[in-house]
Amino acid sequence: MSHPLVIANWKMNLPSKGISEWVLNEMISSNEEKDFEEKTSFFKFMGVCPPISHLSELKTLMNFGHFGSQDISRFQDGAKTGDISADMIIDRGCTFSIIGHSERREFHNETNDVVSEKLKICLEKNILPVVCIGECLEDYNNGDTLDVLENQLKEIFSSIISENKLIVAYEPIWAIGSGKTPSAKEVNNIHQHIKDIVQSVANINDINIIYGGSVKRENAKTFFLEKNIDGALIGGASLNGREFLDIYNDFMETL
Ligand code: PEP
């Protein structure tokens, strides 16, 4: 079964020209000649996480790719106002979920323990988790990146044993939305380290590591060309369907 590796995270935004323009004119127009089967196969590594309120609209226009949520509740059900459960996102057609995004950590005080609870729910419910980790600028400047990531991974993964597939998204906080990025070579080395830690702590073998933080058309391919960079999580640039598609095409060319 294929799974998303180039993922659009719209956050609490909608494409400026609207969802139908994003899909029909920016995304599909250059693939118009492809039939349904071809589209399904071509877009098998694409994932989109719109605000959950707009998922149905997107799905009626886009019958290819994978759909995900930007977060899930750490609870299964009940009196948890504002939360959306794993079962609810499955019911809406989501096959994967971002968890532990730095904006959840910053604005909703999510800790590694909370992320670990969400990870367990994803694995239990067969939702592909996209687990976000990353260091702040100070840690990066002090050369502490690997220690910080190791600590995050140990706290999130220590009690996990699973044969399910999972994705870790390495997202340096200082790179998100800033236009700055580490070099592709640096990211490549960090991803190797992440893979080694997850495998040693959690006994999970089926893992992909994707990069997120100011990925744009201009820099995407340099990341995709690296051996340990399996894809990308894309915020700002994904709001433009044409740019997101160009990034996706670059990814497909490096396979
Ligand atoms: C993100 O928030 O996950 C992200 C990578 O954002 P951007 O691409 O805008 O840096």
Side-chain angles (χ1 to χ4, degrees):
M1 250 279 275
S2 60
H3 55 276
L5 288 172
V6 178
I7 300 173
N9 174 16
W10 288 358
K11 312 190 184 193
M12 201 166 66
N13 299 303
L14 293 174
S16 57
K17 292 186 188 149
I19 293 182
S20 69
E21 176 78 12
W22 190 91
V23 180
L24 301 175
N25 289 338
E26 297 175 350
M27 182 73 57
I28 295 184
S29 57
S30 59
N31 285 284
E32 232 156 13
E33 69 290 353
K34 289 192 172 74
D35 65 20
F36 177 72
E37 300 257 302
E38 276 180 300
K39 274 205 195 86
T40 308
S41 156
F42 180 74
F43 287 105
K44 66 185 174 194
F45 297 120
M46 178 182 282
V48 188
C49 300
I52 214 80
S53 52
H54 288 67
L55 185 65
S56 302
E57 184 185 348
L58 179 65
K59 284 195 78 198
T60 54
L61 295 162
M62 192 170 162
N63 55 3
F64 52 85
H66 306 266
F67 300 92
S69 68
Q70 299 173 13
D71 184 40
I72 55 161
S73 174
R74 69 189 161 115
F75 302 107
Q76 305 260 11
D77 55 22
K80 307 290 178 309
T81 301
D83 276 20
I84 296 182
S85 71
D87 286 338
M88 289 168 180
I89 66 157
I90 292 170
D91 189 51
R92 294 287 91 197
C94 292
T95 54
F96 73 100
S97 180
I98 299 172
I99 53 175
H101 192 281
S102 63
E103 287 150 17
R104 298 294 312 171
R105 295 169 186 263
E106 181 181 354
F107 301 116
H108 300 273
N109 302 318
E110 282 190 11
T111 60
N112 291 325
D113 287 344
V114 170
V115 180
S116 188
E117 287 180 51
K118 293 184 176 190
L119 173 59
K120 281 184 199 132
I121 290 193
C122 283
L123 295 172
E124 205 180 296
K125 301 278 181 183
N126 272 321
I127 294 170
L128 172 69
V130 180
V131 184
C132 299
I133 55 167
E135 81 288 359
C136 66
L137 187 57
E138 194 185 345
D139 294 327
Y140 177 76
N141 286 337
N142 291 338
D144 291 335
T145 299
L146 295 183
D147 288 343
V148 170
L149 299 180
E150 182 162 348
N151 189 44
Q152 290 175 344
L153 291 168
K154 282 187 169 156
E155 289 188 9
I156 295 170
F157 284 95
S158 60
S159 54
I160 308 281
I161 297 177
S162 174
E163 295 192 347
N164 287 25
K165 149 140 237 84
L166 80 89
I167 296 178
V168 173
Y170 167 52
E171 297 212 303
I173 298 166
W174 54 272
I176 295 177
S178 66
K180 300 192 185 103
T181 69
S183 73
K185 292 264 174 273
E186 265 178 288
V187 175
N188 189 56
N189 291 338
I190 290 168
H191 282 201
Q192 182 62 58
H193 191 77
I194 292 172
K195 198 172 263 182
D196 292 344
I197 295 171
V198 174
Q199 283 170 348
S200 71
V201 181
N203 221 341
I204 290 181
N205 287 314
D206 202 355
I207 170 171
N208 285 117
I209 321 281
I210 63 175
Y211 169 75
S214 294
V215 174
K216 310 253 178 278
R217 175 75 213 273
E218 304 88 71
N219 60 18
K221 207 164 192 174
T222 57
F223 290 111
F224 297 145
L225 285 168
E226 295 294 332
K227 174 170 160 275
N228 298 318
I229 303 179
D230 300 324
L233 180 54
I234 304 162
S238 74
L239 287 165
N240 180 316
R242 185 67 238 182
E243 182 165 6
F244 184 57
L245 180 65
D246 286 343
I247 293 171
Y248 185 75
N249 281 327
D250 282 348
F251 171 78
M252 294 302 280
E253 277 172 29
T254 61
L255 289 184

Coordinates of all heavy atoms in Angstrom, one line a residue, residues 8 19-20 24-26 30 39-40 57 66 68 73 99 109 120 147 182-183 197 204 221 225 227 245 248:
A8 N 1.0 18.3 2.2 CA 0.6 19.7 2.3 C 0.0 19.9 3.7 O -1.0 19.1 4.0 CB -0.4 20.0 1.2
I19 N -10.6 26.5 -2.7 CA -10.2 25.1 -2.8 C -10.4 24.6 -4.3 O -9.6 23.9 -4.8 CB -11.0 24.3 -1.8 CG1 -10.6 24.6 -0.4 CG2 -10.8 22.8 -2.1 CD1 -11.3 23.9 0.7
S20 N -11.5 25.0 -4.9 CA -11.7 24.4 -6.2 C -10.6 24.9 -7.2 O -10.1 24.2 -8.1 CB -13.1 24.7 -6.7 OG -13.3 26.0 -7.0
L24 N -8.6 22.2 -9.2 CA -9.0 22.1 -10.6 C -8.0 22.8 -11.5 O -7.6 22.3 -12.5 CB -10.4 22.5 -10.9 CG -11.5 21.7 -10.0 CD1 -12.8 22.3 -10.3 CD2 -11.4 20.2 -10.4
N25 N -7.7 24.0 -11.2 CA -6.8 24.8 -12.1 C -5.3 24.7 -11.8 O -4.5 24.5 -12.7 CB -7.2 26.3 -12.1 CG -8.5 26.4 -12.8 OD1 -8.9 25.6 -13.6 ND2 -9.2 27.5 -12.5
E26 N -5.0 24.7 -10.5 CA -3.6 24.7 -10.2 C -3.0 23.2 -10.1 O -1.9 23.0 -10.6 CB -3.3 25.3 -8.8 CG -3.7 26.8 -8.9 CD -3.6 27.5 -7.5 OE1 -3.4 26.9 -6.5 OE2 -3.7 28.8 -7.5
S30 N -2.6 20.5 -15.4 CA -1.5 19.9 -16.1 C -1.5 18.4 -16.1 O -0.7 17.8 -16.8 CB -0.2 20.4 -15.6 OG -0.1 20.0 -14.2
K39 N -4.0 8.8 -12.5 CA -3.9 9.9 -11.5 C -3.7 9.2 -10.1 O -2.8 9.6 -9.3 CB -5.2 10.7 -11.4 CG -5.3 11.8 -12.4 CD -6.2 12.9 -11.8 CE -6.6 13.9 -12.9 NZ -7.8 13.5 -13.7
T40 N -4.4 8.2 -9.8 CA -4.3 7.5 -8.6 C -2.9 7.0 -8.4 O -2.3 7.1 -7.3 CB -5.3 6.3 -8.5 OG1 -6.6 6.8 -8.8 CG2 -5.3 5.7 -7.1
E57 N -15.2 19.1 1.2 CA -15.2 19.9 0.0 C -14.0 19.5 -0.9 O -14.1 19.2 -2.1 CB -15.1 21.4 0.3 CG -15.2 22.3 -0.9 CD -15.0 23.7 -0.5 OE1 -15.0 24.1 0.7 OE2 -14.8 24.5 -1.5
H66 N -3.8 11.1 -0.8 CA -4.2 10.7 0.6 C -4.7 12.0 1.4 O -4.1 13.0 1.2 CB -3.1 10.0 1.3 CG -2.5 8.9 0.6 ND1 -2.8 7.6 0.7 CD2 -1.5 8.9 -0.4 CE1 -2.1 6.8 0.0 NE2 -1.3 7.6 -0.7
G68 N -5.3 13.7 5.2 CA -4.9 13.5 6.6 C -5.4 14.6 7.5 O -5.9 15.6 7.0
S73 N -7.1 14.0 18.7 CA -7.2 14.0 20.2 C -6.4 12.8 20.8 O -6.3 11.8 20.1 CB -8.7 13.8 20.6 OG -8.8 13.7 22.0
I99 N 1.1 14.6 14.0 CA 1.0 14.7 15.5 C 2.3 15.4 16.0 O 3.3 15.2 15.4 CB 0.7 13.4 16.2 CG1 1.8 12.3 15.9 CG2 -0.7 12.9 16.0 CD1 1.6 11.0 16.7
N109 N 0.6 23.8 24.3 CA 1.4 23.2 25.4 C 1.5 21.7 25.3 O 1.6 21.0 26.3 CB 0.8 23.5 26.8 CG 0.8 25.0 27.0 OD1 1.7 25.7 26.6 ND2 -0.3 25.5 27.5
K120 N 0.3 6.4 20.1 CA -0.3 5.0 20.4 C -1.7 4.9 19.8 O -2.1 3.9 19.3 CB -0.4 4.9 22.0 CG 0.9 4.5 22.6 CD 0.8 4.2 24.0 CE 2.2 4.3 24.6 NZ 2.3 5.1 25.8
D147 N 21.2 16.0 20.3 CA 20.8 15.7 21.7 C 19.3 16.0 21.9 O 18.6 15.2 22.5 CB 21.6 16.5 22.7 CG 23.0 16.0 22.8 OD1 23.3 14.9 22.3 OD2 23.9 16.8 23.2
P182 N 18.3 24.3 7.1 CA 19.7 23.7 7.2 C 20.0 23.2 5.8 O 19.1 23.1 5.0 CB 19.4 22.5 8.2 CG 18.0 22.4 8.5 CD 17.3 23.4 7.7
S183 N 21.3 22.9 5.6 CA 21.6 22.4 4.3 C 21.0 21.0 4.1 O 20.8 20.2 5.1 CB 23.1 22.3 4.1 OG 23.7 21.3 4.8
I197 N 17.9 6.0 16.1 CA 17.3 6.1 17.5 C 16.0 5.5 17.5 O 15.7 4.7 18.4 CB 17.2 7.6 17.9 CG1 18.6 8.2 18.0 CG2 16.5 7.7 19.2 CD1 18.6 9.7 18.2
I204 N 10.9 -0.3 15.8 CA 10.0 -0.1 14.7 C 10.9 0.0 13.4 O 11.9 0.7 13.5 CB 9.3 1.2 14.8 CG1 8.2 1.1 15.9 CG2 8.6 1.6 13.5 CD1 7.4 2.4 16.0
K221 N 14.2 20.0 -4.6 CA 14.9 18.9 -5.2 C 16.2 18.6 -4.5 O 16.7 17.4 -4.4 CB 15.2 19.2 -6.7 CG 15.3 17.9 -7.5 CD 15.1 18.2 -8.9 CE 14.9 16.9 -9.7 NZ 14.6 17.1 -11.1
L225 N 17.1 14.8 -3.3 CA 18.2 14.0 -3.9 C 19.0 13.3 -2.8 O 19.8 12.4 -3.1 CB 19.1 15.0 -4.7 CG 18.6 15.4 -6.0 CD1 19.4 16.5 -6.6 CD2 18.5 14.2 -7.0
K227 N 19.9 10.7 0.2 CA 19.5 9.3 0.4 C 18.5 9.2 1.6 O 17.5 8.4 1.5 CB 20.7 8.5 0.7 CG 20.6 7.1 1.1 CD 21.9 6.4 1.0 CE 21.9 5.2 1.9 NZ 22.2 5.4 3.3
L245 N 2.3 21.2 -6.6 CA 2.5 20.2 -7.7 C 3.9 20.2 -8.3 O 4.4 19.1 -8.5 CB 1.4 20.5 -8.8 CG 1.4 19.5 -10.0 CD1 1.0 18.1 -9.5 CD2 0.5 20.0 -11.1
Y248 N 6.0 18.3 -5.9 CA 5.6 16.9 -6.0 C 6.3 16.3 -7.3 O 6.9 15.2 -7.2 CB 4.1 16.7 -6.0 CG 3.7 15.3 -6.0 CD1 3.9 14.5 -4.8 CD2 3.3 14.6 -7.1 CE1 3.5 13.2 -4.8 CE2 3.0 13.3 -7.1 CZ 3.1 12.5 -5.9 OH 2.8 11.2 -5.9

